[in-house]
Amino acid sequence: MSAATVRNPAVRRLADWSAERLRALADDHGTPLYVLDLDRVRQNYRRMADAFPEAEVYYAAKANTARPVLRALADEGAGIECASAGELARVLDAREAQCASDARAGRDDPRAGVAGSRVHYTAVNPPDRDLDVAVRLADDHPGLTITVGAADTLDRLAERGYDGRICLRVNPGVGAGHHEKVATGADAKFGVPYDRAADLAEDATARFEVVGLHAHAGSGISGEDLSAHRELVSRMGDLAREVESQDVELEFVDVGGGFGVPYRPDEDPLDLDAVAAATREALGEVDATLAVEPGRYLVADAGVLLTAVNTVKEAGDGAVVGVGAGMTTLARPALYDAHHEMRNVSADAERRPDREVTVAGPVCESADTFGDHWLADPERGDLLAIGNSGAYGYEMANQYNSRPRPASVVLDGDDVRVARRRETIADVTAVEPEDQA
């Protein structure tokens, strides 16, 4: 095992986090609290870039849009893939009027300052207001690529006077992922039908600069799903060769991301080098450059969620442990039945016997549970750490039950910075007109 491998292991387990440092962060910033380690994000990106040395790596920003994350990855050389106008506004220079409004309101500039040529906008059935923003930003940032998944969207862009860079999203008919709700590759919602894609790409050259093809199998793809990933890539290689034969000069073929991470301690990490080799082989010879869009893989194990125990209730042969975090803080367990490993990081936890308990949040829903976990016997006031929370954690946090969203901090070596302050009830109600009070 090389020194680089030791410094940059393929997965960071929950047990690798310093309990002492997590307790200090909770003391300083309160709970629930998202913690994200930028050094780990950088390590994950470098591993991905090393595995795909001849490919373009675009970070799927929807996994975690915290400004320090976007800036760190952009500094490492990553492009950014955006799924909405809001994400575009985070990474590009937003409208001057909006910036001035933010300054007057005392809000920090949320932009990451990424060049337009390093940004892809990949929307699904984009609302009119999103397209308006995308076209305006494309005018201000030459090189921005807009990915289109329907012929209607091409027409809507043309109606707005857009004639710039287009990537065509294709539905390859192959889906995979950790849950049926995220197996996008076989879902008709995503992309133009595979058998119509070549003709649509050729026709689009009359109105736009067609620069790429895109497909995505799904999210959280693991070893058992890799055959579907290879099939998707193979189909995209065949399509690229057909499109290139029609004198369409493609810059890239984007085969998406979805690279999975192990959420359970007994699961092995993804063999990224093997995946990269299989991807290159499946794509075959094309003139275009391969592009990949990792999201979860770069940030999941870089983050934990800290929450305090507020209730321990004996129930039959077991116990229900109530915590401050819930489905409004981390939605994945309620939405996907997702497992997130837990650890009691209280000062004396190691001296206690382990006990299987049900961990539940404060929302009045049966779905508001983190499932059953073996923990050092929990007591009221204990601090629990929830692993692999860096991806789709804060991004899916919401205000259901009028609950303010949690704070988020980033670690950069020894430095700690607040990425998002803790919301207050006043923040929750701020959008409501005062005359309705």
Side-chain angles (χ1 to χ4, degrees):
M1 181 178 293
S2 70
T5 302
V6 173
R7 290 194 301 271
N8 187 5
V11 61
R12 186 182 195 181
R13 306 290 186 181
L14 183 56
D16 296 331
W17 290 81
S18 165
E20 182 179 5
R21 191 173 195 193
L22 293 179
R23 290 195 299 270
L25 291 168
D27 288 342
D28 290 343
H29 300 280
T31 61
L33 178 69
Y34 276 101
V35 179
L36 192 118
D37 186 348
L38 292 182
D39 283 343
R40 182 60 185 171
V41 173
R42 296 183 184 105
Q43 290 174 0
N44 289 340
Y45 171 79
R46 291 166 188 169
R47 193 184 317 105
M48 179 68 64
D50 287 346
F52 289 92
E54 298 176 358
E56 293 286 341
V57 179
Y58 285 80
Y59 168 58
K62 66 180 181 177
N64 191 315
T65 58
R67 177 172 53 180
V69 174
L70 298 175
R71 284 183 172 169
L73 286 169
D75 289 345
E76 288 290 322
I80 309 292
E81 184 263 334
C82 301
S84 70
E87 290 179 5
L88 276 178
R90 285 181 179 273
V91 301
L92 296 171
D93 291 334
R95 291 168 295 169
E96 292 183 5
Q98 182 63 50
C99 294
S101 173
D102 287 344
R104 287 193 299 271
R107 292 189 290 267
D108 288 339
D109 182 351
R111 298 168 295 173
V114 182
S117 60
R118 299 295 296 155
V119 176
H120 289 181
Y121 170 54
T122 307
V124 179
N125 302 327
D128 285 345
R129 65 177 67 88
D130 280 34
L131 284 186
D132 292 341
V133 171
V135 169
R136 182 164 54 247
L137 290 174
D139 287 341
D140 294 339
H141 300 272
L144 173 68
T145 299
I146 297 180
T147 301
V148 174
D152 272 359
T153 306
L154 291 173
D155 296 337
R156 294 165 68 201
L157 286 169
E159 290 166 1
R160 288 165 169 77
Y162 182 77
D163 60 1
R165 293 167 57 86
I166 287 292
C167 171
L168 191 65
R169 180 166 186 171
V170 179
N171 186 313
V174 179
H178 68 83
H179 193 279
E180 63 181 9
K181 293 182 180 179
V182 296
T184 57
D187 189 334
K189 173 181 176 179
F190 301 93
V192 301
Y194 183 86
D195 58 359
R196 303 178 193 172
D199 289 341
L200 188 58
E202 184 179 22
D203 292 345
T205 59
R207 296 186 289 176
F208 308 99
E209 182 184 359
V210 180
V211 297
L213 299 173
H214 175 282
H216 180 63
S219 184
I221 297 173
S222 62
E224 61 191 31
D225 303 313
L226 292 182
S227 60
H229 173 73
R230 285 192 292 269
E231 177 63 20
L232 176 145
V233 176
S234 177
R235 293 186 185 188
M236 292 303 291
D238 291 342
L239 179 62
R241 286 183 283 276
E242 181 179 356
V243 170
E244 288 173 341
S245 72
Q246 298 170 337
D247 295 326
V248 179
E249 296 184 5
L250 298 175
E251 292 181 12
F252 62 87
V253 178
D254 190 332
V255 296
F259 304 107
V261 299
Y263 280 87
R264 296 179 184 272
D266 58 348
E267 294 175 349
D268 292 329
L270 193 66
D271 186 342
L272 192 58
D273 290 333
V275 172
T279 299
R280 289 189 292 269
E281 180 182 1
L283 184 65
E285 292 295 326
V286 295
D287 293 334
T289 298
L290 173 68
V292 292
E293 290 179 358
R296 180 192 316 272
Y297 189 88
L298 301 186
V299 293
D301 73 351
V304 296
L305 171 61
L306 302 179
T307 187
V309 174
N310 56 49
T311 304
V312 178
K313 179 170 58 177
E314 299 299 326
D317 295 332
V320 176
V321 175
V323 297
M327 61 188 291
T328 57
T329 318
L330 179 63
R332 296 189 71 254
L335 190 58
Y336 306 125
D337 294 322
H339 176 85
H340 284 261
E341 196 65 14
M342 285 193 178
R343 175 185 169 198
N344 190 335
V345 293
S346 302
D348 63 344
E350 293 183 359
R351 296 194 295 270
R352 303 184 207 166
D354 285 353
R355 181 184 185 188
E356 187 176 24
V357 296
T358 299
V359 181
V363 179
C364 188
E365 298 266 358
S366 296
D368 185 35
T369 175
F370 296 106
D372 296 337
H373 294 267
W374 282 93
L375 298 171
D377 199 3
E379 300 175 358
R380 184 154 48 92
D382 279 355
L383 181 66
L384 304 185
I386 304 175
N388 273 348
S389 300
Y392 306 105
Y394 189 94
E395 295 307 309
M396 289 185 171
N398 58 82
Q399 297 175 339
Y400 179 47
N401 281 182
S402 293
R403 294 186 182 278
R405 284 176 292 191
S408 172
V409 298
V410 295
L411 312 180
D412 197 354
D414 293 331
D415 294 334
V416 181
R417 302 201 303 275
V418 175
R420 286 119 166 179
R421 66 168 175 79
R422 188 175 308 282
E423 287 185 346
T424 65
I425 293 176
D427 292 321
V428 176
T429 60
V431 297
E432 301 170 15
E434 293 183 2
D435 60 5
Q436 294 186 16

